[in-house]
Amino acid sequence: MTNTRPVSTGERLARGGIYAILIAAALVYLLPLAVMLLTSVKTLDDIRTGNILSLPVEIVFDAWHKAWSNACTGVSCNGVSGFFWNSFQIVIPAVLISTFVGALNGYALTKWRFKGSELFFALMLFGCFIPFQVVLLPMAQTLGYVGLANTTTGLVFVHVVYGIAFTTLFFRNFYVGIPNELVLAAKLDGAGFFTIFWRILLPVSAPIIVVCIIWQFTQIWNDFLFGVVFSGQDTKPITVALNNLVNTTTGVKEYNVDMAAAIIAALPTLVVYVAAGKYFVRGLTAGAVKG
């Protein structure tokens, strides 16, 4: 039989107090989302006569339809659907490329060290701290020289360049904790650089891969500065389209449409965090305490 110590009244009260504080904090944190949801399903008359937390008199989804389906023309923007898919065309390749290159860099910097590898890593780490505004002009010139200005491919290139520094840092810290004996044994068996990478390092890298994917996905999806500077009229990401929508006035400010568009823009990152949030914390802590 297993002896279990009875929980005292004081411990129950303390535990209840902790849960009460956590629930209250969660409610406060979710309050803006509740306001956005309520506003997005209200009519304009309902918004004018009620307060921000009042329940809708009638639930309507016209604002959602308008926020999604209409397109931008000239300087006026009335919808985000096309730009929603633009963001996916930017995010998916940028995340995959930067994660893969970061994994290779982290592997080489920990298991195949070369002369100057520490300096190389220090320079990449230094790149993490360069303000984005500093490189806007040089990056615009570079994209122009290679013919990628105002294109989706150009935005992918920009995000890959900036993402590699962070993914290399994550993978390098994670791979430091993997025993070198595994790599040495594989070398003795005749395995080469890429064989070791594919068959030994990558299979155990799932936690840090999830960290890099979530980190990069969130950073790139929510980016506005690079999107507004380096995109063309038809290649804008959803953050730029959302800004245009919110700041476009045609006589009547449609707050319900603005809120619906903002929720649409935030949905992918919410889905990613809900689906893989626990793996993010696990992988981040695994890589943060090594090396």
Side-chain angles (χ1 to χ4, degrees):
M1 294 182 62
T2 302
N3 293 325
T4 57
R5 184 178 63 85
V7 179
S8 65
T9 303
E11 289 176 332
R12 290 194 184 96
L13 291 174
R15 187 177 301 174
I18 292 174
Y19 279 119
I21 293 173
L22 292 175
I23 292 172
L27 291 175
V28 172
Y29 186 79
L30 292 174
L31 186 60
L33 180 59
V35 171
M36 293 170 66
L37 285 171
L38 290 172
T39 305
S40 69
V41 295
K42 291 178 181 179
T43 63
L44 288 177
D45 291 335
D46 196 358
I47 294 173
R48 296 189 192 99
T49 57
N51 59 65
I52 60 174
L53 290 176
S54 62
L55 296 176
V57 176
E58 178 186 4
I59 296 178
V60 293
F61 294 95
D62 294 343
W64 285 80
H65 177 74
K66 187 171 184 179
W68 173 256
S69 62
N70 294 345
C72 292
T73 56
V75 297
S76 176
C77 183
N78 298 313
V80 297
S81 59
F83 307 100
F84 184 86
W85 302 118
N86 282 349
S87 286
F88 272 111
Q89 292 175 25
I90 297 168
V91 167
I92 293 176
V95 168
L96 294 179
I97 294 172
S98 60
T99 300
F100 178 73
V101 176
L104 275 177
N105 288 342
Y107 165 52
L109 290 171
T110 54
K111 307 306 178 186
W112 293 75
R113 297 197 175 193
F114 52 89
K115 186 177 180 179
S117 60
E118 293 298 328
L119 176 62
F120 177 78
F121 176 68
L123 291 174
M124 293 201 70
L125 190 61
F126 176 74
C128 296
F129 301 98
I130 298 178
F132 291 169
Q133 294 84 351
V134 173
V135 299
L136 290 182
L137 182 57
M139 185 65 75
Q141 292 176 330
T142 301
L143 294 178
Y145 292 152
V146 298
L148 295 178
N150 300 328
T151 65
T152 300
T153 304
L155 280 170
V156 171
F157 173 77
V158 171
H159 287 298
V160 167
V161 169
Y162 268 90
I164 286 175
F166 290 98
T167 56
T168 298
L169 173 63
F170 290 147
F171 276 101
R172 186 257 186 192
N173 287 348
F174 185 81
Y175 286 155
V176 163
I178 296 178
N180 291 327
E181 288 75 13
L182 291 175
V183 177
L184 293 175
K187 289 181 180 179
L188 290 176
D189 290 337
F193 181 89
F194 287 102
T195 301
I196 296 173
F197 177 68
W198 285 108
R199 297 192 176 183
I200 297 178
L201 271 297
L202 273 189
V204 300
S205 301
I208 203 64
I209 288 174
V210 172
V211 168
C212 290
I213 289 175
I214 295 179
W215 176 273
Q216 281 294 90
F217 187 96
T218 304
Q219 295 296 316
I220 298 171
W221 186 273
N222 292 333
D223 169 71
F224 176 79
L225 181 61
F226 288 158
V228 75
V229 173
F230 300 129
S231 65
Q233 181 61 35
D234 298 325
T235 58
K236 290 181 173 63
I238 193 170
T239 49
V240 178
L242 179 61
N243 176 75
N244 293 343
L245 172 64
V246 171
N247 290 300
T248 297
T249 302
T250 56
V252 177
K253 188 62 176 175
E254 297 177 307
Y255 294 103
N256 49 358
V257 177
D258 295 347
M259 294 301 168
I263 295 174
I264 291 172
L267 276 178
T269 51
L270 289 175
V271 171
V272 168
Y273 268 110
V274 170
K278 63 179 180 180
Y279 301 105
F280 178 81
V281 176
R282 186 184 307 169
L284 193 60
T285 53
V289 296
K290 299 182 177 71

